[in-house]
């Protein structure tokens, strides 16, 4: 099996970027700011443990679905 190292590096960079993207997004939603889904442009909603079992940030359509651990 051949591993394309360049491709692998790109993949790592992408996931690192999206991690920071998610952190930034999370911070804004936590501050009560309206953040729109990058896919469907609908407002993202923060789901806290008080609202149910599935905690995280999601849009109405579900294309953005960031699971959060409120432990
Ligand atoms: Zn969406």
């Amino acid at each position: 099996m051949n591993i394309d190292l360049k491709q692998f590096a790109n993949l790592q960079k992408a996931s690192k970027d999206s991690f920071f993207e998610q952190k930034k997004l999370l911070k804004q939603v936590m501050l009560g700011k309206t953040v729109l889904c990058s896919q469907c442009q609908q407002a993202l909603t923060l789901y806290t443990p008080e609202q149910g079992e599935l905690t995280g940030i999601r849009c109405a359509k579900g294309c953005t679905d960031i699971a959060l651990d409120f432990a």
Side-chain angles (χ1 to χ4, degrees), residues 27-39:
K27 205 174 163 186
Q28 289 182 308
V29 175
M30 290 276 199
L31 287 168
K33 291 189 180 171
T34 301
V35 184
L36 300 179
C37 171
S38 56
Q39 306 280 320

Side-chain angles (χ1 to χ4, degrees), residues 37-59:
C37 171
S38 56
Q39 306 280 320
C40 66
Q41 308 299 313
Q42 308 254 6
L44 299 176
T45 311
L46 174 70
Y47 294 89
T48 59
E50 292 86 56
Q51 289 164 284
E53 268 181 45
L54 287 169
T55 55
I57 294 173
R58 289 192 293 282
C59 72

Side-chain angles (χ1 to χ4, degrees), residues 2-20:
N2 288 318
I3 297 172
D4 189 333
L5 284 178
K6 203 179 159 193
Q7 204 173 23
F8 185 65
N10 282 341
L11 200 78
Q12 278 192 316
K13 191 182 176 293
S15 65
K16 199 179 160 194
D17 283 350
S18 77
F19 174 73
F20 283 111

